[in-house]
Amino acid sequence: MSFACIAAARRFDDTAHLPLVIGSQRYGWIRRRDAESLCHWPDVFEISSLAVRIHPRHDTCEARTAALVPVIEALAAQGLITGWRNERYAIRQRLYDAPLAWIERAASRFFGTRTFAVHVNGYVPARFVGEAPTLWIARRSVLKATDPGWLDNTAAGGIGNGIGVGDTLVKECWEEAGIPAHLASDARPGRTLHILAEIPEGVQSEQIFVYDLALPRGFVPENQDGEASAHWLCSAGDVREVIADGKMTVDASLASLDFLLREGVIRAKDCAGIEALFRPADE
């Protein structure tokens, strides 16, 4: 059995992209064909065959943010940025670094800036030794901006402006699955995934914090915000098959595989290449 999601998480050709540079460091990746559209703003970008650099005259977070706002709005009007969220994401390399600028969440894929997310494997523990746990799997709403109708983890979401990992976990557990805070706070960390992949919207450069949450027997997740249309309790074998068939999002597939590997449900040799995803893509 093979899992295409592993290769998909690192399907990236750096020669087809230009680094987005602020100061002397890279903070994103822009497709070469998309970089051409930025030539209309020479006061915001310095563009060469080697990089797209935010003009050094914009030397503070506030100045960069203000300079990028009209660019992002124009790109959205042209259809080059889709799935507008009215939510701000920071440009930064690590989650708790000071932001270099704030941009509309939907623009993070166009600029290939690093984003951060939490994925929760909600599961029901096995009753007997040797028995595998069962997992709660969600179906994403057909109205979602990304991957509509695909299968997903019990709860998952991006880490937004001013919200940490723990608060995001509790928030998403309630909104997506109706899991109260006193249960969500019992979640235990798995491993951290690092994705770098070209996607239709641009580049996904994302760090995913995986968590496992044991749920009581008889508890049934119930979506609160309209972002999930249903939840099912599935055997570990069924989840494995769903991932192999490519019916679950890449992010959720990897989070589920991390859980199944740690639970001993699947073997490491069946997940060739996944170990690389537990390290940053640029190492």
Side-chain angles (χ1 to χ4, degrees), residues 3-154:
F3 301 105
C5 58
I6 297 173
R10 289 289 170 86
R11 189 170 293 127
F12 181 76
D13 177 8
D14 60 356
T15 65
H17 299 76
L18 290 174
L20 174 68
V21 175
I22 301 175
S24 60
Q25 295 187 45
R26 176 181 56 78
Y27 286 91
W29 290 101
I30 301 174
R31 288 182 293 208
R32 286 184 179 272
R33 68 176 185 269
D34 288 338
E36 295 175 5
S37 65
L38 302 179
C39 293
H40 299 293
W41 293 277
D43 58 325
V44 180
F45 304 103
E46 293 181 334
I47 303 173
S48 71
S49 61
L50 298 176
V52 175
R53 185 184 307 275
I54 294 184
H55 201 292
R57 69 161 59 93
H58 307 295
D59 58 359
T60 66
C61 177
E62 293 76 14
R64 295 184 199 102
T65 299
L68 289 169
V69 166
V71 175
I72 292 169
E73 290 177 346
L75 293 173
Q78 296 169 30
L80 295 175
I81 291 175
T82 59
W84 197 272
R85 303 291 190 91
N86 280 324
E87 183 179 351
R88 296 204 310 169
Y89 266 20
I91 297 180
R92 54 189 165 194
Q93 289 287 34
R94 291 174 292 273
L95 180 57
Y96 296 108
D97 284 353
L100 274 295
W102 293 97
I103 58 175
E104 154 64 29
R105 176 177 177 175
S108 61
R109 301 307 196 218
F110 179 91
F111 290 107
T113 54
R114 183 159 298 168
T115 56
F116 305 87
V118 174
H119 278 247
V120 180
N121 292 302
Y123 71 100
V124 178
R127 293 184 180 183
F128 310 107
V129 175
E131 182 182 59
T134 50
L135 288 92
W136 281 104
I137 299 301
R139 183 176 296 282
R140 296 165 67 86
S141 166
V142 295
L143 301 178
K144 289 278 287 183
T146 56
D147 300 324
W150 285 57
L151 298 181
D152 207 340
N153 297 128
T154 311

Side-chain angles (χ1 to χ4, degrees), residues 141-211:
S141 166
V142 295
L143 301 178
K144 289 278 287 183
T146 56
D147 300 324
W150 285 57
L151 298 181
D152 207 340
N153 297 128
T154 311
I159 300 175
N161 180 12
I163 304 177
V165 175
D167 288 342
T168 299
L169 187 153
V170 170
K171 170 180 173 290
E172 295 297 335
C173 278
W174 172 252
E175 291 179 353
E176 297 201 351
I179 300 171
H182 72 274
L183 285 181
S185 61
D186 288 335
R188 296 292 178 263
R191 289 180 283 190
T192 302
L193 294 157
H194 300 267
I195 294 177
L196 179 63
E198 184 170 0
I199 58 174
E201 298 84 1
V203 176
Q204 180 184 7
S205 174
E206 188 152 77
Q207 184 173 334
I208 298 175
F209 300 94
V210 179
Y211 279 79

Side-chain angles (χ1 to χ4, degrees), residues 220-237:
V220 178
E222 184 176 350
N223 181 252
Q224 306 294 311
D225 63 1
E227 294 195 2
S229 59
H231 287 82
W232 295 276
L233 187 60
C234 300
S235 70

